[in-house]
Amino acid sequence: MHLSNLDLKVCDFTSRLPGPLAGSILSDLGARVVKLELENALDPFNPKNANSPEEMFGAWYKNLNASKEQLVIKSLESSEVKNVLEESDIALIPGNKKYSVLKELFPETLFIEVCGGSGNQKYLHDLNALFLTKSFKLHLEATNGDTLPYLPFAGVVFAQQIALEALGAYVESTSGKKENRKIYLDQAASRVLDKLWTNSLEDSETPKALHTGKYPCYNIYQSSDGRYIGLAAVENKFWIKFCEIFNLTFSLEDRFDESGRTGQSISKMFLSYTGKEIEELIGNSDICINLFPKKEKE
């Protein structure tokens, strides 16, 4: 799918992760996207913002906005805002009153409001939204709540939903049905992530499934030099080839062994090789196994 033939123009007033990522997705699809920031209220991820909390956010800001035109504006009443909005098909705006006035001033533009909570809790961060999903139990049980998710999964899901809703609303507007939309973080996270939830997980005290380390054929291991190995030899042909390459005598049934014995044997086997040796053994064989590159010492 590519939007270049539509000559789609988007202005992005949002900040932090979900809105800018949605704008980046639309840009990747061929839309022309302009990011606008108020001079006295820069995006908190912008390294030029004195209150930007950490270095990683600055790198995210650069990646999320690399393909956009960028403008710093003095106010929402500036001529630059007027010019950009009059040329835009879609505007991504934060869900607050300060930006809502733009909908009245520019009725021809389609506005997508990026909001937090849909209920009484209006302000949500990624972690709050995850706690409102059933599926987050998988993470809590697996880590005993000792570790935060490293990536903001709710925000990433939210960004995808914003982009989809924006495109859906735009398509409808081309047939004469223009309707501004509000998209909520909690609803987006639950709508997507809870599709992966099942009653069997609800009833389990320590929910485990294929994707959470239940079986040895789909798990993370380590080499003797500390490289991580992602093994996902679930299908018959991949498991058979995996066993053949590493001289293992496991049966097809062993890939779903829940006793821990098969997994321990595989772990011991991988620890007898360096990452480079494993890569050489695999060669060009496509058996659903990957190694993380070794981090070079500084």
Side-chain angles (χ1 to χ4, degrees):
M1 179 180 181
H2 209 268
L3 306 176
S4 56
N5 293 336
L6 298 178
D7 194 27
L8 187 67
K9 297 181 180 66
V10 179
C11 59
D12 178 10
F13 289 91
T14 63
S15 60
R16 300 183 188 271
L17 174 71
L21 178 53
S24 179
I25 292 168
L26 293 172
S27 176
D28 290 344
L29 291 172
R32 175 194 167 197
V33 183
V34 181
K35 179 175 174 64
L36 299 98
E37 295 180 62
L38 285 167
E39 187 177 57
N40 61 352
L42 293 175
D43 188 329
F45 282 14
N46 189 333
K48 294 180 181 178
N49 187 330
N51 297 316
S52 186
E54 60 176 271
E55 185 178 342
M56 179 185 287
F57 290 166
W60 286 2
Y61 176 89
K62 181 179 178 181
N63 293 339
L64 294 172
N65 300 294
S67 60
K68 304 173 187 175
E69 300 171 39
Q70 293 182 253
L71 290 175
V72 176
I73 55 178
K74 292 186 180 296
S75 74
L76 294 179
E77 292 78 32
S78 70
S79 59
E80 291 170 305
V81 171
K82 180 177 182 294
N83 293 337
V84 171
L85 276 170
E86 285 181 344
E87 292 181 357
S88 295
D89 302 294
I90 298 171
L92 305 179
I93 61 172
N96 61 51
K97 291 181 180 179
K98 179 168 68 175
Y99 289 91
S100 290
V101 297
L102 295 174
K103 294 187 291 185
E104 299 174 9
L105 296 174
F106 301 93
E108 298 302 315
T109 303
L110 179 65
F111 285 88
I112 307 297
E113 289 187 69
V114 178
C115 307
S118 58
N120 293 329
Q121 190 176 0
K122 300 296 183 185
Y123 300 102
L124 298 175
H125 277 288
D126 195 89
L127 187 61
N128 306 120
L130 287 173
F131 262 81
L132 294 174
T133 67
K134 295 178 181 178
S135 55
F136 195 55
K137 180 182 178 183
L138 294 172
H139 174 82
L140 294 174
E141 294 288 351
T143 65
N144 292 317
D146 293 333
T147 306
L148 287 164
Y150 187 72
L151 293 175
F153 294 108
V156 172
V157 165
F158 190 26
Q160 295 278 358
Q161 291 291 298
I162 295 166
L164 286 172
E165 290 278 358
L167 289 176
Y170 174 73
V171 170
E172 285 191 352
S173 72
T174 59
S175 61
K177 294 174 61 178
K178 177 186 173 294
E179 184 179 354
N180 296 326
R181 297 189 184 184
K182 290 186 177 183
I183 319 297
Y184 294 93
L185 171 58
D186 58 343
Q187 291 181 349
S190 295
R191 185 183 303 126
V192 175
L193 296 177
D194 283 346
K195 291 186 189 303
L196 308 178
W197 189 250
T198 67
N199 289 334
S200 62
L201 293 173
E202 181 73 59
D203 297 336
S204 173
E205 291 184 6
T206 54
K208 276 209 166 185
L210 173 70
H211 293 84
T212 57
K214 186 175 183 179
Y215 305 118
C217 63
Y218 194 100
N219 225 311
I220 297 172
Y221 300 93
Q222 275 190 278
S223 64
S224 62
D225 54 348
R227 290 182 63 183
Y228 290 105
I229 304 157
L231 175 66
V234 179
E235 290 78 14
N236 290 4
K237 61 181 180 179
F238 298 134
W239 182 256
I240 291 170
K241 188 66 176 177
F242 164 67
C243 292
E244 178 185 311
I245 289 173
F246 291 97
N247 295 315
L248 301 172
T249 58
F250 297 128
S251 67
L252 286 173
E253 290 73 22
D254 287 332
R255 66 193 151 143
F256 299 127
D257 170 33
E258 297 182 45
S259 71
R261 289 190 294 271
T262 303
Q264 290 168 8
S265 296
I266 293 174
S267 179
K268 184 177 180 180
M269 179 274 294
F270 277 132
L271 285 170
S272 69
Y273 294 104
T274 65
K276 184 178 180 180
E277 289 170 338
I278 293 170
E279 288 175 331
E280 289 173 349
L281 282 168
I282 296 170
N284 294 323
S285 299
D286 189 359
I287 57 169
C288 292
I289 185 170
N290 297 88
L291 282 79
F292 256 101
K294 186 175 182 180
K295 185 176 180 180
E296 297 295 331
K297 293 183 179 179
E298 296 180 358

